[in-house]
Amino acid sequence: MADNLPSEFDVIVIGTGLPESIIAAACSRSGQRVLHVDSRNYYGGNWASFSFSGLLSWLKEYQENNDIVIDSSLWQEQILENEEAIALSRKDKTIQHVEVFCYASQDLHEYVEEAGALKKNHACVTLVNSSKAADSACLPTEDESLSTESCEVPAEQTPSSDPESTLEVNDAEATGEKENHSDDKTSEEKTNENVPTAEDTAEQPKKNRITYSQIVKEGRRFNIDLVSKVPCSRADVFNSKQLTMVEKRMLMKFLTFCMEYEEHPDEYKAYEDITFSEYLKTQKLTPNLQYFVLHSIAMTSETTSSTIDGLKATKNFLHCLGRYGNTPFLFPLYGQGELPQCFCRMCAVFGGIYCLRHSVQCLVVDKESRKCKAIIDQFGQRIISKHFLVEDSYFSENTCSRVQYRQISRAVLITDRSVLKSDSDQQISILIVPAEEPGSFSVRVIELCSSTMTCMKGTYLVHLTCTSSKTAREDLEAVVEKLFTPYTETGIENEEVEKPRILWALYFNMRDSSDINRNCYNDLPSNVYVCSGPDGGLGNDNAVKQAETIFQSICPNEDFCPPPPNPEDIVLDGDSSQPESSESSAILEANSEIPAETTILGNPEETSE
């Protein structure tokens, strides 16, 4: 059917990342005819989640990516005299400097097998540069394995086909690890979809305790061996042994101001031009409190974040507290890659058409109006539309020649124990490691347990993220070495190992295309909208704001992602008295299935033990 699509749509979306999927769902919900295509064979792009074997296939795909040969003869013949074409790229250059390390041996658990798993190649290292693909001999073959015992280890970078667990590459954003603030618009959009709550669901996973931690500061240095829990609620603050009674009162007074800072502009207007860290010094806060607010609550940069940025971040943190538990965070079961798929399902329910493994060769632009009028796909089909959304990675080098991209350094680790010593082995830990050297950046560490369905039982999936200054390994290896130790078979009998052991590690750099002005792209028609990939932030705020802005440009008089109607309230034209008819029942059934499939932002604090 992909070679015989309808010839006209209202909106064509290229790429299935989170912003594109939200927009597709919103447009379809508003009655627009939507065609959503992706050249990949999975949903999510750089937001996807993979099984372990899927992650290895993804790595191999990036190795072979540079070898793609594009035949432009199919579409060039269809370009008329009054038209011109914007060629799209078939090569994804968003991931660079990939390095893989395997430390564990499968011999320890020979009885455990994974269908399609790769056999072990001890200490295999793969390097992939933007200009040169890795030697195929470095990548494990189908007869080689990279895991100790895995039946599906998580990686947030592939669309899961129904795995027991998925690996995240997005903050593993090989792409994806992301935490959502509990008032994140993504959370709100999902909870507005008549999704059953934790109490409504019959079967619930184990309770995930989201533990927010910080590195203890000793003088001017950070003792990475001392990891303490961040007191989030008012009760936590006053029960904390890290703060003196005077500091507790000073902190509560300052946090109270942050919650309503917009009502007192005179107290911060004079400091708008300085950084938030400098502003904190003017508020009579002790160095201990300044560190606490900057790195553990606002989580902003010490050198680049302005006073307003810091106050907004602090208010957002406090606003989310208590909404679903004692921390302000939610984490999606099965990883970040489930979020784009939720919105894709919503779009399909309201009539959107989906085609994976479907490439678009070019955009067709009318020379006179300078507007895009159609696309030409891999089959040579010419499909007309009013609006076009394109994920940044699909544009060619010619289109992006003036764009200055930032880079994100990412690491994904599989470890055998938690960084944070705790009575429970089922918790999500968030840790900020502040920068120690000038020119370096703080590193965010997110550790996921098996009940998140992102890793197998008895292991942890760890994501490390920071702004790039060098390659990912160079940026993150120092923190990895301080928090973890490589797994060695000789150390198995040593029960006194202090640090968690690394079973498998992946380093990569990812393009950050967020906050790029569309004017930086060469000759883009006004009805072509650019969607960015994952950014370095903790949540999905940027993606949702971008989706809402683009949607309002396409449908200025429509509500953005309103809650879908209750299936019982749907009345079909000409059949209002017979809702039980076969056609009506089919539609009701299709709609009633959606909440169950989109319950991925489950409340970890309310799920049963």
Coordinates of all heavy atoms in Angstrom, one line a residue, residues 106-175:
Q106 N 29.9 -14.0 28.9 CA 28.7 -14.8 28.9 C 28.9 -16.1 29.5 O 28.0 -16.8 29.8 CB 28.2 -14.9 27.4 CG 26.8 -15.5 27.3 CD 26.4 -15.6 25.9 OE1 27.2 -15.7 25.0 NE2 25.1 -15.5 25.7
D107 N 30.2 -16.5 29.7 CA 30.4 -17.9 30.2 C 29.8 -18.1 31.6 O 29.6 -19.2 32.0 CB 32.0 -18.1 30.3 CG 32.6 -18.0 28.9 OD1 31.8 -18.2 27.9 OD2 33.8 -17.7 28.8
L108 N 29.6 -17.0 32.3 CA 29.1 -17.1 33.7 C 27.7 -17.6 33.7 O 27.2 -18.2 34.6 CB 29.1 -15.7 34.4 CG 30.5 -15.1 34.6 CD1 30.4 -13.7 35.1 CD2 31.4 -16.0 35.5
H109 N 26.9 -17.3 32.6 CA 25.5 -17.7 32.5 C 25.3 -18.4 31.2 O 24.5 -17.8 30.4 CB 24.6 -16.5 32.8 CG 24.8 -15.8 34.1 ND1 24.2 -16.2 35.2 CD2 25.6 -14.8 34.4 CE1 24.6 -15.5 36.2 NE2 25.5 -14.6 35.7
E110 N 25.8 -19.5 30.9 CA 25.7 -20.1 29.6 C 24.3 -20.6 29.3 O 23.9 -20.7 28.2 CB 26.7 -21.3 29.5 CG 28.2 -20.9 29.6 CD 29.1 -22.1 29.6 OE1 28.6 -23.2 29.6 OE2 30.3 -21.9 29.5
Y111 N 23.5 -20.8 30.4 CA 22.2 -21.3 30.2 C 21.2 -20.2 29.8 O 20.1 -20.5 29.4 CB 21.7 -22.0 31.4 CG 21.7 -21.1 32.6 CD1 20.6 -20.3 32.9 CD2 22.8 -21.0 33.5 CE1 20.6 -19.4 34.0 CE2 22.9 -20.1 34.5 CZ 21.8 -19.4 34.8 OH 21.8 -18.5 35.9
V112 N 21.6 -18.9 29.8 CA 20.8 -17.8 29.4 C 21.0 -17.4 28.0 O 22.2 -17.1 27.7 CB 21.0 -16.6 30.4 CG1 20.0 -15.5 30.0 CG2 20.7 -17.1 31.8
E113 N 20.0 -17.4 27.2 CA 20.2 -17.0 25.8 C 19.2 -16.0 25.4 O 18.1 -15.9 26.0 CB 20.1 -18.3 24.9 CG 21.2 -19.3 25.1 CD 21.0 -20.5 24.1 OE1 20.1 -20.4 23.3 OE2 21.8 -21.4 24.2
E114 N 19.5 -15.2 24.5 CA 18.6 -14.2 23.9 C 18.4 -14.5 22.4 O 19.4 -14.6 21.7 CB 19.1 -12.8 24.1 CG 18.2 -11.7 23.5 CD 18.8 -10.3 23.6 OE1 19.9 -10.2 24.1 OE2 18.2 -9.4 23.2
A115 N 17.2 -14.5 22.0 CA 17.0 -14.8 20.6 C 17.6 -13.7 19.7 O 17.4 -12.5 19.9 CB 15.5 -14.8 20.3
G116 N 18.5 -14.1 18.8 CA 19.2 -13.1 18.0 C 20.3 -12.3 18.7 O 20.8 -11.4 18.2
A117 N 20.7 -12.8 19.9 CA 21.7 -12.1 20.6 C 23.1 -12.3 20.0 O 23.3 -13.3 19.3 CB 21.8 -12.6 22.1
L118 N 24.0 -11.3 20.2 CA 25.3 -11.4 19.7 C 26.2 -12.1 20.7 O 26.1 -11.8 21.9 CB 25.8 -10.0 19.3 CG 24.8 -9.2 18.5 CD1 25.4 -7.8 18.3 CD2 24.5 -9.9 17.2
K119 N 27.1 -12.9 20.2 CA 28.0 -13.6 21.2 C 29.1 -12.6 21.6 O 29.4 -11.6 20.9 CB 28.6 -14.8 20.5 CG 27.7 -16.0 20.5 CD 28.3 -17.2 20.1 CE 27.4 -18.4 20.1 NZ 28.0 -19.6 19.6
K120 N 29.8 -12.9 22.7 CA 30.7 -12.0 23.3 C 32.0 -11.9 22.5 O 32.6 -12.8 22.1 CB 31.0 -12.4 24.7 CG 32.1 -11.6 25.3 CD 32.3 -12.0 26.7 CE 33.3 -11.2 27.3 NZ 34.6 -11.4 26.7
N121 N 32.4 -10.6 22.4 CA 33.8 -10.4 21.8 C 34.5 -9.5 22.9 O 34.2 -8.4 23.0 CB 33.7 -9.6 20.5 CG 35.0 -9.3 19.9 OD1 36.0 -9.9 20.4 ND2 35.1 -8.5 18.9
H122 N 35.3 -10.2 23.7 CA 35.8 -9.5 24.9 C 36.6 -8.2 24.6 O 37.4 -8.2 23.7 CB 36.8 -10.5 25.6 CG 36.9 -10.2 27.1 ND1 35.8 -10.3 27.9 CD2 37.9 -9.8 27.9 CE1 36.1 -10.0 29.2 NE2 37.4 -9.7 29.2
A123 N 36.2 -7.2 25.3 CA 36.8 -5.8 25.1 C 36.8 -5.4 23.7 O 37.7 -4.8 23.2 CB 38.3 -5.9 25.6
C124 N 35.7 -5.6 23.0 CA 35.5 -5.1 21.6 C 35.3 -3.6 21.6 O 34.5 -3.1 22.4 CB 34.4 -5.8 20.9 SG 34.0 -5.2 19.3
V125 N 36.0 -2.9 20.8 CA 35.8 -1.4 20.8 C 35.4 -1.0 19.4 O 36.1 -1.4 18.4 CB 37.1 -0.7 21.2 CG1 36.9 0.8 21.1 CG2 37.5 -1.1 22.6
T126 N 34.4 -0.2 19.2 CA 34.0 0.3 17.9 C 34.1 1.8 17.9 O 33.5 2.5 18.8 CB 32.6 -0.1 17.6 OG1 32.5 -1.5 17.6 CG2 32.1 0.4 16.3
L127 N 34.7 2.4 16.9 CA 34.8 3.9 16.8 C 34.1 4.3 15.5 O 34.4 3.7 14.5 CB 36.2 4.3 16.8 CG 37.0 4.1 18.1 CD1 38.5 4.1 17.9 CD2 36.6 5.1 19.1
V128 N 33.2 5.2 15.6 CA 32.5 5.7 14.4 C 32.7 7.2 14.3 O 32.2 7.9 15.2 CB 31.1 5.3 14.3 CG1 30.4 5.9 13.1 CG2 30.9 3.8 14.4
N129 N 33.3 7.8 13.3 CA 33.5 9.2 13.2 C 32.5 9.7 12.1 O 32.0 8.9 11.3 CB 34.9 9.5 12.8 CG 35.9 9.2 13.9 OD1 35.6 9.3 15.0 ND2 37.0 8.7 13.5
S130 N 32.3 11.0 12.1 CA 31.4 11.5 11.1 C 31.9 11.4 9.7 O 31.1 11.3 8.8 CB 31.1 13.0 11.4 OG 32.4 13.7 11.4
S131 N 33.2 11.4 9.6 CA 33.8 11.3 8.2 C 34.2 9.9 7.8 O 34.3 9.6 6.6 CB 35.0 12.2 8.1 OG 35.9 11.9 9.1
K132 N 34.4 9.0 8.8 CA 34.9 7.7 8.4 C 34.1 6.6 9.2 O 34.1 6.7 10.4 CB 36.4 7.6 8.7 CG 37.0 6.3 8.3 CD 38.5 6.3 8.6 CE 39.1 5.0 8.2 NZ 40.6 5.0 8.5
A133 N 33.6 5.7 8.5 CA 32.9 4.6 9.2 C 33.8 3.6 9.9 O 35.0 3.5 9.5 CB 32.0 3.8 8.2
A134 N 33.4 3.0 10.9 CA 34.2 2.1 11.6 C 34.5 0.8 10.8 O 33.7 0.4 10.0 CB 33.6 1.6 12.9
D135 N 35.6 0.2 11.0 CA 36.0 -1.0 10.4 C 35.0 -2.1 10.8 O 34.7 -2.3 12.0 CB 37.4 -1.4 10.8 CG 37.9 -2.7 10.1 OD1 37.0 -3.3 9.4 OD2 39.1 -3.0 10.2
S136 N 34.4 -2.8 9.8 CA 33.4 -3.7 10.2 C 33.9 -4.8 11.1 O 33.1 -5.5 11.8 CB 32.8 -4.4 8.9 OG 33.8 -5.0 8.2
A137 N 35.2 -5.1 11.1 CA 35.7 -6.1 12.0 C 35.6 -5.7 13.4 O 35.6 -6.6 14.3 CB 37.2 -6.3 11.6
C138 N 35.5 -4.4 13.7 CA 35.4 -4.0 15.1 C 34.0 -4.2 15.7 O 33.8 -4.4 16.9 CB 35.7 -2.5 15.2 SG 37.4 -2.1 14.9
L139 N 33.0 -4.2 14.8 CA 31.6 -4.4 15.3 C 31.4 -5.9 15.5 O 31.8 -6.7 14.7 CB 30.6 -3.9 14.3 CG 30.3 -2.4 14.4 CD1 29.4 -2.1 13.2 CD2 29.6 -2.1 15.7
P140 N 30.7 -6.3 16.6 CA 30.4 -7.7 16.8 C 29.5 -8.2 15.7 O 28.7 -7.6 15.1 CB 29.6 -7.7 18.1 CG 29.5 -6.3 18.5 CD 30.1 -5.4 17.5
T141 N 29.8 -9.5 15.3 CA 29.0 -10.1 14.3 C 27.8 -10.8 14.9 O 27.6 -10.7 16.1 CB 29.8 -11.2 13.5 OG1 30.1 -12.2 14.5 CG2 31.1 -10.6 13.0
E142 N 26.9 -11.5 14.1 CA 25.8 -12.1 14.7 C 26.2 -13.3 15.6 O 25.3 -13.9 16.2 CB 24.8 -12.5 13.6 CG 24.2 -11.3 12.9 CD 23.2 -11.8 11.9 OE1 23.0 -13.0 11.7 OE2 22.5 -10.9 11.3
D143 N 27.4 -13.7 15.5 CA 27.9 -14.8 16.3 C 28.6 -14.3 17.6 O 29.2 -15.1 18.3 CB 28.8 -15.7 15.5 CG 28.1 -16.3 14.4 OD1 26.9 -16.7 14.6 OD2 28.7 -16.5 13.3
E144 N 28.6 -13.0 17.8 CA 29.3 -12.5 19.0 C 28.3 -11.8 19.9 O 27.3 -11.3 19.5 CB 30.3 -11.4 18.5 CG 31.4 -12.0 17.6 CD 32.3 -10.9 17.0 OE1 31.7 -9.8 16.7 OE2 33.4 -11.2 16.8
S145 N 28.6 -11.8 21.2 CA 27.7 -11.2 22.2 C 28.4 -10.2 23.0 O 29.6 -10.2 23.3 CB 27.2 -12.4 23.1 OG 26.5 -11.8 24.1
L146 N 27.6 -9.2 23.5 CA 28.1 -8.1 24.3 C 27.5 -8.1 25.7 O 27.7 -7.2 26.4 CB 27.7 -6.8 23.6 CG 28.5 -6.5 22.3 CD1 28.0 -5.1 21.8 CD2 29.9 -6.5 22.5
S147 N 26.8 -9.2 26.1 CA 26.2 -9.1 27.4 C 26.5 -10.4 28.2 O 26.8 -11.4 27.7 CB 24.7 -8.8 27.3 OG 24.0 -10.0 27.4
T148 N 26.3 -10.2 29.5 CA 26.6 -11.3 30.4 C 25.5 -12.3 30.3 O 25.7 -13.5 30.2 CB 26.6 -10.8 31.8 OG1 26.7 -9.5 31.9 CG2 27.6 -11.5 32.6
E149 N 24.3 -11.9 30.5 CA 23.2 -12.8 30.6 C 21.9 -12.3 29.9 O 21.5 -11.7 30.0 CB 22.8 -13.2 32.0 CG 22.7 -12.1 33.0 CD 22.2 -12.6 34.3 OE1 21.7 -13.6 34.4 OE2 22.4 -11.9 35.2
S150 N 21.7 -11.4 29.3 CA 20.6 -10.6 29.0 C 19.6 -11.3 28.2 O 19.8 -12.0 27.3 CB 21.2 -9.4 28.2 OG 20.5 -9.1 27.1
C151 N 18.4 -11.0 28.5 CA 17.3 -11.4 27.6 C 16.8 -10.1 27.1 O 16.3 -10.0 26.2 CB 16.2 -12.1 28.3 SG 16.2 -13.8 28.2
E152 N 17.0 -9.0 27.3 CA 16.8 -7.8 26.6 C 17.2 -6.7 27.6 O 16.5 -6.5 28.5 CB 15.3 -7.6 26.2 CG 14.8 -8.8 25.4 CD 14.5 -8.4 24.0 OE1 15.4 -7.9 23.4 OE2 13.4 -8.5 23.6
V153 N 18.3 -6.1 27.3 CA 18.7 -5.0 28.2 C 18.3 -3.7 27.5 O 18.2 -3.7 26.3 CB 20.3 -5.0 28.2 CG1 20.7 -4.0 29.2 CG2 20.7 -6.4 28.7
P154 N 17.9 -2.7 28.3 CA 17.3 -1.5 27.7 C 18.3 -0.5 27.1 O 19.3 -0.2 27.6 CB 16.7 -0.8 28.9 CG 17.1 -1.6 30.0 CD 17.9 -2.7 29.6
A155 N 17.8 0.2 26.1 CA 18.5 1.3 25.5 C 17.5 2.2 24.9 O 16.7 1.9 24.1 CB 19.4 0.9 24.5
E156 N 17.4 3.5 25.3 CA 16.3 4.3 24.9 C 16.6 4.9 23.5 O 16.7 6.0 23.3 CB 16.2 5.5 25.8 CG 14.9 6.2 25.6 CD 14.7 7.3 26.5 OE1 15.5 7.9 27.0 OE2 13.7 7.5 26.9
Q157 N 16.5 4.0 22.5 CA 16.8 4.5 21.2 C 16.1 3.6 20.1 O 16.4 3.7 19.0 CB 18.3 4.5 21.0 CG 19.0 5.0 19.9 CD 18.3 6.1 19.1 OE1 17.7 6.7 19.5 NE2 18.3 6.2 17.9
T158 N 15.3 2.7 20.5 CA 14.6 2.0 19.4 C 13.2 1.7 19.8 O 12.8 1.7 21.0 CB 15.2 0.6 19.2 OG1 14.9 -0.2 20.4 CG2 16.7 0.6 19.0
P159 N 12.3 1.6 18.8 CA 11.0 1.3 19.1 C 10.8 -0.1 19.6 O 11.2 -1.0 18.9 CB 10.3 1.6 17.8 CG 11.3 1.3 16.8 CD 12.6 1.5 17.5
S160 N 10.3 -0.3 20.7 CA 10.2 -1.7 21.2 C 9.0 -2.4 20.6 O 7.9 -1.8 20.5 CB 10.1 -1.7 22.7 OG 9.0 -0.8 23.1
S161 N 9.2 -3.6 20.1 CA 8.1 -4.3 19.5 C 7.3 -5.1 20.5 O 6.4 -5.8 20.2 CB 8.7 -5.3 18.5 OG 9.6 -6.1 19.1
D162 N 7.6 -5.1 21.7 CA 7.0 -5.7 22.9 C 8.0 -6.4 23.7 O 7.9 -7.5 24.0 CB 5.9 -6.6 22.4 CG 5.1 -7.1 23.6 OD1 5.1 -6.4 24.7 OD2 4.4 -8.1 23.6
P163 N 9.1 -5.7 24.0 CA 10.2 -6.4 24.7 C 9.9 -6.4 26.2 O 9.2 -5.7 26.7 CB 11.4 -5.4 24.4 CG 10.8 -4.1 24.3 CD 9.4 -4.3 23.7
E164 N 10.6 -7.3 26.8 CA 10.6 -7.4 28.3 C 11.2 -6.2 28.9 O 10.9 -5.6 29.9 CB 11.3 -8.7 28.8 CG 10.5 -9.9 28.6 CD 9.2 -9.9 29.4 OE1 9.2 -9.4 30.5 OE2 8.2 -10.4 28.9
S165 N 12.3 -5.7 28.2 CA 13.0 -4.5 28.6 C 13.6 -3.8 27.4 O 13.9 -4.5 26.5 CB 14.1 -4.9 29.7 OG 15.0 -5.8 29.1
T166 N 13.8 -2.5 27.5 CA 14.4 -1.8 26.4 C 15.5 -0.9 26.8 O 15.5 -0.4 27.9 CB 13.3 -0.9 25.8 OG1 12.7 -0.1 26.8 CG2 12.2 -1.7 25.2
L167 N 16.5 -0.8 26.0 CA 17.7 0.1 26.3 C 17.5 1.5 25.8 O 17.1 1.7 24.7 CB 18.9 -0.5 25.6 CG 19.6 -1.6 26.4 CD1 20.7 -2.2 25.6 CD2 20.2 -1.1 27.7
E168 N 17.8 2.4 26.6 CA 17.6 3.8 26.2 C 18.8 4.5 25.8 O 19.8 4.4 26.5 CB 17.0 4.6 27.4 CG 15.7 4.2 27.8 CD 14.8 5.3 28.1 OE1 14.9 5.8 29.2 OE2 14.1 5.7 27.2
V169 N 18.7 5.1 24.6 CA 19.9 5.8 24.2 C 19.7 7.3 24.1 O 20.5 8.0 23.9 CB 20.3 5.3 22.8 CG1 21.7 5.7 22.5 CG2 20.1 3.9 22.7
N170 N 18.5 7.8 24.3 CA 18.2 9.3 24.3 C 18.7 9.9 25.5 O 19.0 10.8 25.7 CB 16.7 9.5 24.1 CG 16.3 10.8 24.0 OD1 16.8 11.7 23.5 ND2 15.2 11.1 24.6
D171 N 18.8 10.0 26.7 CA 19.6 10.7 27.7 C 20.5 9.5 28.1 O 21.0 9.4 29.0 CB 18.9 11.2 28.8 CG 19.0 12.7 29.1 OD1 20.1 13.1 29.5 OD2 18.1 13.3 28.9
A172 N 19.9 8.0 27.4 CA 20.9 7.4 26.6 C 20.5 7.9 25.3 O 19.9 7.2 24.5 CB 20.7 6.0 26.6
E173 N 20.1 9.1 24.8 CA 19.6 9.5 23.5 C 20.6 9.2 22.5 O 21.3 10.0 22.2 CB 19.3 10.9 23.5 CG 17.9 11.1 23.6 CD 17.6 12.5 24.0 OE1 18.4 13.3 24.0 OE2 16.6 12.7 24.3
A174 N 20.7 7.4 22.3 CA 21.8 7.1 21.4 C 21.5 7.7 20.5 O 22.1 8.4 20.3 CB 22.2 5.8 20.9
T175 N 20.4 7.0 21.7 CA 19.9 8.3 21.6 C 19.1 8.6 22.6 O 19.1 9.6 23.0 CB 19.1 8.4 20.3 OG1 18.5 7.3 20.0 CG2 19.8 9.0 19.2

